[in-house]
Amino acid sequence: MLKMGISLAALLAATPALAQDDEIIVTATGIAQPRDEVGQAITIIDAETIKVRQAVDIVDLLATTPGVRFNRNGSTGGVTGVSLRGAETTQTLVLIDGVKVNDPSGIGDGYDFGPLLTANVQRIEVLRGSNSVVHGSQAIGGVVNVMTGTPAEGFAGNASVDYGYSDTLNAKADVSGTSGIASGGVGAAYFRTDGISSAAGGTERDGTENIATNARLKLSFTDALSLDLRGYYIHADLDYDSFFGTPADSSDVSKLDQYVGYAGLNLALLDGKLTNRAAVTWLRNDRDYYFVRGTAPDYGYSGTNLRFEYEGVYAPVDQAKLVFGYEHERPDYDFFGFGDSGSAKANIDSVYALAIVKPVAGLAVTGGVRHDDHSQFGGATTFGANANYTPNAGATNIRLSYGEGFKAPSLYQLYDTWSGNSALTPERSKSYDIGFDQRLDGGRATLSLTAFRRDTRNQINYDYTTYTYGNLDRTRAKGVEASIALKPVDALTLTGSYSYVDARDRSAGSASYGNRLARRAANAVSVSADYVWPLGLSTGATVTMVGDSFDDVANTRRLDGYELVGLRASLPVGDHLEVYGRIDNLFDQGYATAYGYNAYGRAAYGGVRVRF
């Protein structure tokens, strides 16, 4: 059992990359902003951090940031959910290159992080706290914004391949460049492994194969007019152990094809004071499940989300911006299997407006409102406001934030033949946080501290008295996030995160009232250190500690806390070649993030990277 408290050691944890004065954030309001304008808690995982950590799973990177908890069903590629600040995993909004990718065919519209590997991802922004004014439905816990790289000036390319434990092969490559009015890039990644048995105590390995591709093209016709095209594709083939009852060895297979597309036109008017963006985005998730490989699928789901977006930004003066927009969204899903089939769709129309003002030097205030109209349940209006004040040109930042969130019932929850309830209303939340960021020694040290609270009502759950879904639950989460980033000398970087999350059931009359929410540990710490030696060798380590949690809302099935240690090293060979390697779970710690499922023990990998 792991016991932790707030201590100096715990505070040696922070944003994965040292913040820079000109650091730009896009997730807070949907437009590019300096960090000093943002009053919300946001962590950035940059390209250098992704490369140095050598992580394969996006979730392994997210787990080192404040306020993040995750659960994975066994082997790499298994079903994986991410909770922000103790919210449900279905209340995390996920974007890939600006496209909302939460699955319309899922029971709760959640996003499965299992097939999302680092591949050619170059940047991740994690916004913690409700923010539906900007992002609409599902942004109750927060937003995870995953971005591939922007095209290089001239021409550039990267490729890497590594091999290791359980016959694991991981290869990826990308090229990008700029010529005339065009800039763009393409990338591809391939991953395969024999894996581990997903079921705890199982003997047969559950492997996975994953192929990911991405592409983008920008045509800048003039300084004021440009066209953006982006695409992302994932194919995942996974062996998994049966989840009907206690997980056990089985021959089950799942296959996923995920298609993500974006086409946007950007136009600046009034000498750049008014910018306009009109875009169409498209998501399609096809999931097929097989009891035995090589046969026809036994059941499957297909979810599609077509969106139209218009966003305008009017900045009449440097001290004020007005952001406004309209969105139309049409999610639909299809299901087949078990002698049945079904389909459903909905239409959602949304309008929003935000004002960003700087009334005095050092103070930025943002406030906004959004209204969504759903073809089934009607309207939902959300508000939000935040402020960031710096009295000393960014050395100290004091942040305040209030945000409202809502989550529309999923199509499955509304229209499923057996358990659907067309009378469902949206889940609603109110989120508050206060914090500060302090930069010291010219930016060589950055300290952050945030306190938060979120109250959620009308949370949807399955009603075992009516055998349908209902707006049954209330929950509350509160806690503290502390972070520090240190660079005492140019060769040494120390980063990590600590968070305390107290997430509990607050449903009046419930037998579980006051209990901790499932799979959400109260305490988590992550500390990383990386050092570059004079000969160019880079060595590093990450220590992650997660406290006890429960696998069920009744709090009868305990998941013990765990401590993981990872080591890594890389060595450049000339200007264009680099060899690297890592050891995960150095001390072979046994642990589980979901009851009945296995987790990787000690594993080693090595590879080579080339850039040109």
Side-chain angles (χ1 to χ4, degrees), residues 87-310:
E88 299 299 312
T89 58
T90 56
Q91 295 170 343
T92 299
L93 179 70
V94 183
L95 306 172
I96 296 180
D97 280 339
V99 180
K100 181 179 178 180
V101 293
N102 292 66
D103 186 359
S105 68
I107 290 178
D109 285 354
Y111 183 77
D112 178 10
F113 280 83
L116 183 62
L117 307 182
T118 50
N120 289 305
V121 171
Q122 296 294 305
R123 181 182 175 94
I124 306 168
E125 293 186 7
V126 184
L127 182 149
R128 302 182 298 279
S130 301
N131 194 10
S132 283
V133 170
V134 175
H135 296 288
S137 178
Q138 293 186 288
I140 285 180
V143 181
V144 176
N145 189 0
V146 177
M147 292 168 258
T148 56
T150 55
E153 295 292 334
F155 177 80
N158 298 274
S160 66
V161 59
D162 53 71
Y163 180 82
Y165 174 77
S166 195
D167 198 22
T168 298
L169 175 66
N170 181 36
K172 56 188 175 182
D174 70 90
V175 294
S176 66
T178 301
S179 178
I181 68 168
S183 61
V186 295
Y190 175 80
F191 176 87
R192 72 155 309 279
T193 181
D194 288 345
I196 59 174
S197 174
S198 291
T203 58
E204 56 88 21
R205 294 177 180 268
D206 294 303
T208 188
E209 182 181 57
N210 186 293
I211 299 169
T213 61
N214 63 281
R216 65 167 60 206
L217 173 66
K218 183 175 182 177
L219 300 175
S220 300
F221 303 110
T222 67
D223 291 341
L225 179 64
S226 64
L227 174 68
D228 277 331
L229 302 173
R230 308 169 201 158
Y232 202 95
Y233 169 73
I234 298 174
H235 170 78
D237 184 319
L238 172 72
D239 296 324
Y240 69 96
D241 287 329
S242 175
F243 54 82
F244 294 107
T246 302
D249 284 345
S250 69
S251 58
D252 291 82
V253 175
S254 70
K255 295 184 180 182
L256 165 76
D257 287 290
Q258 183 178 98
Y259 309 85
V260 180
Y262 175 97
L265 191 65
N266 308 290
L267 176 64
L269 301 171
L270 305 179
D271 294 326
K273 293 182 178 180
L274 175 63
T275 60
N276 304 270
R277 180 180 64 87
V280 176
T281 76
W282 184 68
L283 165 75
R284 183 180 177 93
N285 256 25
D286 292 330
R287 297 181 287 132
D288 291 326
Y289 297 86
Y290 308 75
F291 295 140
V292 178
R293 182 179 291 279
T295 63
D298 293 281
Y299 63 101
Y301 304 84
S302 179
T304 303
N305 196 359
L306 178 66
R307 289 168 57 90
F308 169 78
E309 305 171 347
Y310 167 76

Side-chain angles (χ1 to χ4, degrees), residues 337-523:
F338 308 109
D340 192 15
S341 63
S343 63
K345 63 181 179 180
N347 287 279
I348 307 171
D349 291 281
S350 311
V351 292
Y352 64 91
L354 301 96
I356 305 169
V357 297
K358 300 178 180 178
V360 296
L363 176 64
V365 179
T366 301
V369 60
R370 179 188 186 99
H371 182 79
D372 294 82
D373 187 74
H374 193 283
S375 57
Q376 176 60 44
F377 61 75
T381 302
T382 50
F383 299 90
N386 65 81
N388 187 317
Y389 175 64
T390 175
N392 47 18
T396 304
N397 288 88
I398 301 169
R399 296 177 280 104
L400 294 169
S401 177
Y402 168 76
E404 294 182 357
F406 87 98
K407 179 184 175 299
S410 71
L411 295 174
Y412 182 91
Q413 292 165 339
L414 285 168
Y415 302 119
D416 178 65
T417 303
W418 307 107
S419 59
N421 179 0
S422 61
L424 289 172
T425 59
E427 302 175 348
R428 304 298 297 261
S429 70
K430 294 182 178 180
S431 176
Y432 317 81
D433 61 62
I434 180 172
F436 75 89
D437 309 307
Q438 180 64 54
R439 293 166 57 82
L440 302 168
D441 193 20
R444 286 192 176 272
T446 302
L447 172 68
S448 296
L449 184 67
T450 304
F452 68 88
R453 170 172 163 166
R454 184 189 62 254
D455 293 296
T456 306
R457 58 186 172 86
N458 293 339
Q459 195 157 292
I460 297 171
N461 207 339
Y462 188 74
D463 188 341
Y464 287 93
T465 62
T466 64
Y467 302 104
T468 62
Y469 287 94
N471 294 103
L472 305 177
D473 297 343
R474 287 176 176 262
T475 63
R476 174 176 295 168
K478 57 184 179 180
V480 176
E481 299 160 344
S483 64
I484 197 170
L486 302 173
K487 199 173 183 69
V489 295
D490 289 343
L492 178 63
T493 303
L494 301 169
T495 61
S497 69
Y498 169 79
S499 57
Y500 169 74
V501 178
D502 183 18
R504 295 183 182 269
D505 187 345
R506 284 292 183 267
S507 307
S510 169
S512 57
Y513 181 87
N515 287 2
R516 292 192 178 277
L517 299 183
R519 299 180 179 178
R520 271 150 280 192
N523 293 281

